[in-house]
Amino acid sequence: MGGAFLAAAVLARLGSRIELPTIPLFILAGILLGPHTPGIVLVKDPHELEMLSALGLVLLLFYLGLEFHLDDLKAGGRKMALAGGAYLALNVGAGLGFGFALGWGTSEALVLAGVLGISSSAIVTKVLVDMGRIGNPETKPILGIIVVEDIFLALYLAALQPILSGADSASAAVMDGAKAFGFLLLLALAARFGTKVVGRLMNTRDDELLVISFLGAAVLVAGVSEWFGVADAIGAFMVGLMLGGTTSGPRIRKLVHPLRDAFGAIFFFAFGLSINPGDLPTVLWPVLIAAAVTLVMNVAAGLTAARIFGFGAGPAANISTTLLARGEFALILATMAAGAGLDSRLAPFIAGYVLVLAVLGPLAAGRSHWLARILPGGGRGGDGSGPGSGGPEGNERPYTKDAGGRGAPVTS
């Protein structure tokens, strides 16, 4: 584990000299030092880091919940649901069509619908933090889309599991879906009405006790969520949503930073460990076509979300590129597909597709102004700047580099 931390740190330091984002570098460290690449092997079995990797995902989404205020959800819930629904319709629909076009089978097409349709919550969170965009107006619809995706994810997995396992009874699928939806409803009610009670339970002047309390709450609820068939990430997100609105919220945001960064790096490193570069050439063309389809669908979804919220070209480009990456959910589907005995080409395809977009997503997000110039309305200010566009004269808060080299909103 120490080697994993240091390898990720060395590559990230080298990459920062040429302004590369840290996410693909952490993944590259995992690939280079994993069991599938000749040379030094730090971790022979990726499952050895499974718990630490899961903790990294939980902390990334917990932090996202801290930054996502409940008032924002109440005020823009309808628009967020519309934007999330449009995103899923475009991307999941394109994934299903692509799956049938490949001709690998119906079950394989249903798996590919989820692979191409769902963004990586972990990478989206990291991109928003690294780019200093947490305070941007378009971040609210981005987070709203992530929440809608996670809700869809719970229902999708509940419906897909009996299909992959060959179960001929629809009652099991309905029961699993009802259990997941009921727990999601319980979490939503707790976030809506339980904030004051949770705030009193968490309130302490001792930083050590506060860290242990919020970490225990986030991990416990994440674990219970998984037991109910809901993604552990959304359980952690809901805990962050509750705690962010308490009097301890600002202190929790400060205290969780080092934990989020350290275990987030392990998450992406472990992600790289699971990828076998030797399998990628056999599915190169399907991977590249799928990546192109996802890019087109994300631009369409970004424009749709921007129209719903009244944004211009700049925020539309930010939405499109920030949500581009695919990650942890696709790998879960790859594992399920392998266990169900589906087409052997599916696992290397998913690995290659995820790797391409995990690298392309953060790079594209950092250069979203290039996309903004060619989107409708983007030519006026070159990068889509102007009122309502998210540019310097619009709603987006400008940001600069802080001491650690990260984007940080400029405050007056």
Side-chain angles (χ1 to χ4, degrees):
M1 191 179 79
F5 274 121
L6 288 175
V10 169
L11 271 180
R13 280 174 174 267
L14 293 174
S16 67
R17 296 179 182 274
I18 53 175
E19 297 186 351
L20 283 177
T22 58
I23 294 169
L25 294 169
F26 292 154
I27 295 172
L28 179 62
I31 294 174
L32 293 177
L33 299 171
H36 307 297
T37 306
I40 300 172
V41 177
L42 275 182
V43 184
K44 292 182 180 179
D45 182 3
H47 293 292
E48 291 177 6
L49 293 181
E50 191 170 16
M51 182 58 70
L52 293 174
S53 173
L55 185 57
L57 178 61
V58 163
L59 288 170
L60 283 166
L61 270 293
F62 173 71
Y63 178 79
L64 195 62
L66 290 171
E67 294 288 353
F68 192 82
H69 299 292
L70 197 59
D71 291 339
D72 296 334
L73 188 62
K74 289 187 287 186
R78 183 174 175 273
K79 289 183 177 180
M80 290 177 187
L82 285 173
Y87 188 90
L88 287 172
L90 288 167
N91 285 275
V92 174
L96 186 63
F98 176 79
F100 282 122
L102 282 178
W104 291 355
T106 301
S107 296
E108 287 79 0
L110 291 172
V111 170
L112 288 172
V115 171
L116 271 67
I118 306 294
S119 305
S120 167
S121 301
I123 296 179
V124 169
T125 306
K126 193 74 165 58
V127 166
L128 290 172
V129 172
D130 287 355
M131 299 292 173
R133 293 178 181 170
I134 289 292
N136 286 13
E138 73 272 11
T139 296
K140 293 177 183 177
I142 289 172
L143 300 187
I145 290 171
I146 289 295
V147 171
V148 172
E149 283 185 326
D150 282 339
I151 294 171
F152 170 80
L153 170 60
L155 303 177
Y156 173 78
L157 284 178
L160 187 64
Q161 184 62 51
I163 295 174
L164 295 185
S165 62
D168 50 11
S169 173
S171 60
V174 172
M175 185 63 68
D176 288 342
K179 185 172 71 171
F181 185 78
F183 186 69
L184 283 171
L185 183 61
L186 182 64
L187 287 177
L189 290 173
R192 175 67 180 87
F193 299 107
T195 302
K196 290 184 178 178
V197 175
V198 172
R200 284 197 292 268
L201 292 173
M202 285 285 166
N203 191 28
T204 175
R205 294 181 180 180
D206 190 314
D207 285 349
E208 180 184 10
L209 292 178
L210 185 58
V211 169
I212 293 170
S213 299
F214 75 68
L215 187 60
V219 176
L220 177 63
V221 175
V224 174
S225 298
E226 198 169 37
W227 187 80
F228 274 97
V230 177
D232 52 2
I234 196 171
F237 175 87
M238 296 302 286
V239 174
L241 191 65
M242 281 185 276
L243 296 183
T246 66
T247 56
S248 302
R251 286 174 60 210
I252 294 174
R253 275 190 285 273
K254 181 180 178 181
L255 292 168
V256 79
H257 274 192
L259 293 169
R260 179 205 68 195
D261 291 342
F263 289 100
I266 289 295
F267 172 82
F268 295 113
F269 181 87
F271 184 79
L273 291 175
S274 64
I275 295 174
N276 185 352
D279 292 337
L280 303 185
T282 61
V283 289
L284 179 61
W285 285 111
V287 165
L288 294 179
I289 294 170
V293 168
T294 303
L295 179 60
V296 171
M297 290 298 104
N298 264 54
V299 171
L303 287 169
T304 303
R307 182 177 292 273
I308 290 171
F309 282 84
F311 294 147
N318 285 349
I319 294 169
S320 302
T321 54
T322 303
L323 291 167
L324 182 60
R326 300 296 186 261
E328 62 280 357
F329 173 58
L331 296 181
I332 291 171
L333 283 176
T335 303
M336 290 174 62
L342 300 186
D343 195 298
S344 60
R345 293 169 291 184
L346 201 55
F349 167 84
I350 293 174
Y353 171 76
V354 166
L355 178 61
V356 168
L357 288 185
V359 173
L360 179 62
L363 290 173
R367 293 156 181 80
S368 60
H369 56 284
W370 293 355
L371 174 62
R373 290 172 186 160
I374 62 174
L375 292 180
R380 291 171 299 171
D383 61 352
S385 61
S389 71
E393 298 175 14
N395 297 322
E396 181 173 341
R397 291 163 62 191
Y399 65 92
T400 184
K401 295 286 185 181
D402 63 16
R406 290 183 174 166
V410 175
T411 55
S412 55

